[in-house]
Amino acid sequence: MSASPLVIALTKGRILEETLPLFEQAGIVPAEDIKTSRKLLFDTSLTDVKLMVIRGSDVPTYVEFGSADMGVSGKDLILEYGSEGFYEPLDLKIAACRLMTAQPVNTSLPSGRLRVATKFTNIAKRYFAEQGQQIELIKLNGALELAPSMGLADVIVDIVDTGKTLKANGLEAKETIAEISSRIIVNKASMKIKHGIISDILSKLRQAVSQG
Ligand code: PRP
């Protein structure tokens, strides 16, 4: 039995829809409807497990600092945040997509420094440095697909799922930077202190994923 409840931080939005059935299969069911409630912290069917529902970009922070023991985070946000502060023991294989570069259809890129618009600035910096390509980074928080046609950027780095958003905005995907899916991350101290319950949940989730 753990000394304090185990707190799991879930990513709200599309990832949550795919997370809840896996958690249910693992025996963790929120005590009320998590999708319609305005609450952010939920009791569950397990008395010593609570669920938080927050923005994906905040999940790594909560888990690194131990305010949440575990979290569900997109690999894109883990790559952007850096993964030194926690363990990443399980790929839930949900919310699969790609992190890609994209540019206007049938155009060639300028030869010098590229203007790159993205919210994934750390990933973009690393990727283009590895390519030996000089860039000017333009940080945006959304609607990246507008940046090239509005003359703000030559290239964007963004999530591509169906590719419909790119197409609707006259862009085409070019290079894949990373294959993305949602992962379980675990606070390093919690993994020791609450090892029993965490390894139990991990093995149930692993089984749920494999039954997929
Ligand atoms: C993501 C991404 C693209 C879109 C890609 O945005 O930023 O805009 O999905 O999907 P598609 O390839 O199926 O068209 P999301 O809706 O997750 O919202 P965001 O702008 O908050 O990232």
Side-chain angles (χ1 to χ4, degrees):
M1 191 70 179
S2 336
S4 56
L6 183 94
V7 178
I8 307 177
L10 303 183
T11 291
K12 68 180 185 183
R14 275 190 289 183
I15 292 180
L16 185 63
E17 309 259 330
E18 294 186 57
T19 303
L20 291 176
L22 281 179
F23 272 61
E24 191 174 334
Q25 273 179 269
I28 303 171
V29 181
E32 59 191 285
D33 188 350
I34 216 167
K35 285 185 229 160
T36 54
S37 172
R38 302 294 295 172
K39 279 168 70 172
L40 302 169
L41 185 64
F42 297 86
D43 289 328
T44 71
S45 45
L46 301 181
T47 48
D48 46 2
V49 176
K50 289 189 187 294
L51 298 176
M52 288 171 52
V53 182
I54 56 177
R55 286 177 79 103
S57 50
D58 290 332
V59 170
T61 309
Y62 268 94
V63 173
E64 174 171 13
F65 289 95
S67 302
D69 301 290
M70 301 173 73
V72 173
S73 176
K75 183 69 179 174
D76 50 338
L77 296 170
I78 296 173
L79 290 170
E80 179 64 16
Y81 185 88
S83 56
E84 298 76 27
F86 40 75
Y87 300 118
E88 188 192 314
L90 182 60
D91 183 350
L92 293 177
K93 303 197 171 141
I94 56 172
C97 53
R98 287 177 170 173
L99 191 62
M100 302 189 77
T101 65
Q103 66 192 62
V105 176
N106 297 329
T107 54
S108 48
L109 294 174
S111 52
R113 210 153 71 128
L114 281 184
R115 293 170 307 151
V116 179
T118 187
K119 58 183 169 187
F120 302 101
T121 51
N122 294 328
I123 296 173
K125 220 179 282 176
R126 271 199 309 268
Y127 173 74
F128 286 103
E130 280 163 16
Q131 309 290 310
Q133 172 68 54
Q134 286 221 332
I135 60 167
E136 180 184 351
L137 262 184
I138 299 156
K139 165 89 195 234
L140 290 177
N141 296 303
L144 300 172
E145 293 85 356
L146 262 180
S149 64
M150 299 312 286
L152 185 61
D154 305 304
V155 180
I156 64 169
V157 169
D158 199 8
I159 293 298
V160 181
D161 179 11
T162 61
K164 285 183 185 161
T165 312
L166 290 182
K167 196 162 180 231
N169 290 284
L171 303 178
E172 61 186 351
K174 286 294 189 179
E175 306 298 327
T176 298
I177 298 178
E179 300 283 346
I180 305 299
S181 55
S182 299
R183 313 296 167 98
I184 292 284
I185 58 176
V186 180
N187 174 268
K188 288 186 171 174
S190 301
M191 190 69 116
K192 293 198 188 82
I193 299 162
K194 301 179 180 177
H195 187 75
I197 185 164
I198 289 176
S199 56
D200 184 43
I201 290 172
L202 283 175
S203 78
K204 287 183 179 143
L205 283 173
R206 199 168 282 122
Q207 205 178 340
V209 172
S210 71
Q211 285 165 356

